[in-house]
Amino acid sequence: MSMDFGLFQQQTMKLAMTNELRQAITILQYSALDLNEYLLEQQLENPLIELKEQTFTEEVARQKMNDTPIYDGKSSYQGEDDYSPVDHIRENEEGLQDYLLNQIRLLNLDRKTRSIAMYLALSLDQNGYLHQSDAELMEEAFVTEETLEKGMETLFTLEPYGVGARTLRECLLIQLKHMGMEDSLTERVVSRHLELLAKNQFKKIAKAELVTVEDVQFVADFIKTLNPKPGAEFNRETPKYVVPDVTVLKINEDYVVRLNEQSGPKIFMNRDYEQMVKNKQTGIESYMKQKYDQFNWIKRSIEQRQQTILKVTKSIVNHQFEFFNYGASHLKPLTLKAVAEEVGVHESTVSRATTNKYVQTPRGLHELKYFFVSTVGRDSSESSSSEKVKTHIKRLVNEENKQKPLSDQKLSDLLKKDNQINVSRRTLAKYREEMQIPSSSQRKRY
């Protein structure tokens, strides 16, 4: 065997991650809104790219050509095509601090009290709580203990009642004071037994206060009506709108999947620059060729993205046909691998095609990931999806005797007996917590 060094020619095949392939993968995993932003950025860099928003009128015309009714209602508005009633919603920009300061300005206070009250209002967190101690506030605001106390008393009189509290107990007590419920059983329960109340240990509270368990139950129900975060109502986040990528329509007894072409702008080549590409003007030929290739790759990647999402959605509809007929309780176990094999792509491609992609169905708007559910009850005659198990758990909890709520073990036994679903107590507890259903001790009513 020769071990000499030399130059040899050899042909090999390997998968290379080119810029074009990386771009196609990136575009596939974009949501509809992210894709719009990406195209706007590319339009600024590439003069050949021209975007055109598809108006509602164009969509109606396209649907009419396909003889598919998309909207049966009637609108009296005859104005611009891009009219949206959302544009006329008034935005409330007043925050918690502004609301409190406006109240303080209307009060008849001396200069020092007004100043410290305003300082305290500006020191609250988004839930209306105050985290600094009295010593820290006196050092920060350069005031005496008497002035700080007057400022705190003023803050406690402001709406929403409960702002300025340092603990949940203090917050609830402030609200009860404004309701005139001082020295009541409710006030005593909040002041002395809030920890036991959180654990639903009503018998211990009743024994300590020499009242019946029913009285404590009534007090607990009333306390739940109080506001534990009085400032949270002013902390409203900007809503994030979801645009469906595909739509599932029911026509006769079958379901048809169609791309939502309104979810993004259409990409065209700028006519002015198109002539320059055809004429191959000297001096900019290489630049125009680069931008022309880039335009074609983006357009091809978008088309590939749309077709992949369409194929994946059709496969999901085939697998989850019973869901579209009967609802979430009929979701079947489904994996990325099963859809990938049917569509003829890799699992990672299916994952990218379903992440942050939404489908409008006759049963509501869902993320495509929603239809991929795990298998529960492998030992039973027929495996069930986790969503189906959650539906049965919720039904059993709603139908239980609240004076004797079902334990997790009892729920597990009922699922096995009535629905032939084998699920362990620990798994059932996990599903119950995911649905934010309290434990049996916390669900008990007296």
Side-chain angles (χ1 to χ4, degrees), residues 160-172:
Y161 298 131
V163 295
R166 290 189 172 93
T167 62
L168 174 61
R169 176 180 282 105
E170 187 179 11
C171 177
L172 299 178

Side-chain angles (χ1 to χ4, degrees), residues 52-63 70 80-83 260-266:
K52 181 182 179 182
E53 293 285 351
Q54 187 174 9
T55 64
F56 182 75
T57 305
E58 291 176 343
E59 178 66 9
V60 171
R62 187 187 68 81
Q63 293 286 353
I70 64 169
E80 299 177 358
D81 294 335
D82 58 352
Y83 167 80
N260 181 17
E261 297 186 7
Q262 278 187 290
S263 62
K266 290 185 176 180

Side-chain angles (χ1 to χ4, degrees), residues 392-414:
H392 286 299
I393 293 174
K394 187 176 182 180
R395 176 182 57 81
L396 290 173
V397 170
N398 291 336
E399 296 175 355
E400 71 182 359
N401 182 359
K402 299 303 178 183
Q403 294 181 343
K404 295 181 179 179
L406 301 172
S407 64
D408 291 340
Q409 185 60 53
K410 185 62 177 178
L411 288 171
S412 176
D413 295 339
L414 288 175

Side-chain angles (χ1 to χ4, degrees), residues 82-90:
D82 58 352
Y83 167 80
S84 174
V86 179
D87 298 335
H88 297 272
I89 298 178
R90 182 179 180 274

Side-chain angles (χ1 to χ4, degrees), residues 119-384:
Y119 182 83
L120 293 174
L122 295 172
S123 301
L124 301 177
D125 66 6
Q126 61 183 8
N127 294 322
Y129 283 84
L130 190 65
H131 296 288
Q132 297 97 318
S133 64
D134 289 349
E136 292 173 338
L137 290 171
M138 287 187 292
E139 183 179 355
E140 292 174 1
F142 302 103
V143 295
T144 62
E145 184 177 357
E146 181 181 359
T147 303
L148 178 62
E149 185 176 349
K150 290 182 179 180
M152 294 294 295
E153 292 175 355
T154 301
L155 191 62
F156 292 157
T157 63
L158 304 179
E159 297 181 356
Y161 298 131
V163 295
R166 290 189 172 93
T167 62
L168 174 61
R169 176 180 282 105
E170 187 179 11
C171 177
L172 299 178
L173 290 175
I174 294 172
Q175 296 178 50
L176 292 175
K177 180 179 179 180
H178 283 283
M179 294 179 181
M181 300 184 67
E182 294 179 287
D183 300 324
S184 64
L185 175 61
T186 306
E187 191 270 343
R188 295 198 303 272
V189 170
V190 173
S191 180
R192 305 172 185 174
H193 312 291
L194 193 59
E195 290 78 9
L196 294 177
L197 188 68
K199 300 177 182 178
N200 271 31
Q201 296 182 359
F202 296 159
K203 291 184 179 179
K204 291 185 178 181
I205 299 175
K207 183 177 180 181
E209 296 296 330
L210 303 178
V211 295
T212 64
V213 179
E214 289 76 10
D215 292 335
V216 179
Q217 178 74 71
F218 179 81
V219 167
D221 292 339
F222 177 76
I223 292 175
K224 290 179 181 178
T225 64
L226 302 178
N227 190 354
K229 298 179 180 180
E233 60 183 279
F234 294 88
N235 183 33
R236 298 175 182 173
E237 297 182 358
T238 304
K240 297 180 179 180
Y241 299 100
V242 173
V243 180
D245 296 86
V246 285
T247 303
V248 177
L249 301 172
K250 185 174 184 180
I251 300 179
N252 297 327
E253 297 300 323
D254 201 4
Y255 291 96
V256 178
V257 181
R258 291 189 174 173
L259 291 169
N260 181 17
E261 297 186 7
Q262 278 187 290
S263 62
K266 290 185 176 180
I267 182 171
F268 299 95
M269 182 180 293
N270 188 293
R271 293 183 178 180
D272 297 333
Y273 288 97
E274 185 178 2
Q275 295 299 325
M276 298 175 64
V277 172
K278 292 180 179 179
N279 296 335
K280 297 183 179 180
Q281 297 184 12
T282 307
I284 61 171
E285 182 178 351
S286 60
Y287 173 80
M288 297 304 296
K289 183 179 184 304
Q290 177 188 355
K291 295 303 179 183
Y292 179 72
D293 293 340
Q294 183 184 17
F295 166 81
N296 285 332
W297 266 106
I298 293 177
K299 187 175 181 180
R300 197 176 303 126
S301 298
I302 293 176
E303 293 174 353
Q304 184 178 352
R305 171 188 183 272
Q306 301 294 71
Q307 292 303 314
T308 302
I309 295 176
L310 184 63
K311 291 178 181 179
V312 169
T313 307
K314 287 181 178 179
S315 176
I316 291 175
V317 172
N318 291 335
H319 283 281
Q320 303 290 7
F321 192 82
E322 292 187 6
F323 162 83
F324 295 96
N325 284 331
Y326 307 109
S329 61
H330 289 75
L331 274 173
K332 294 182 178 180
L334 182 62
T335 62
L336 296 173
K337 183 179 180 180
V339 174
E341 291 177 351
E342 182 175 332
V343 177
V345 295
H346 194 269
E347 288 182 47
S348 61
T349 302
V350 177
S351 178
R352 293 187 180 96
T354 54
T355 302
N356 295 326
K357 312 296 189 308
Y358 292 85
V359 54
Q360 182 68 55
T361 73
R363 297 195 172 273
L365 182 69
H366 298 281
E367 187 180 7
L368 289 176
K369 285 282 189 183
Y370 170 79
F371 298 97
F372 295 94
V373 289
S374 57
T375 303
V376 179
R378 295 179 180 275
D379 297 334
S380 59
S381 58
E382 182 181 356
S383 61
S384 304

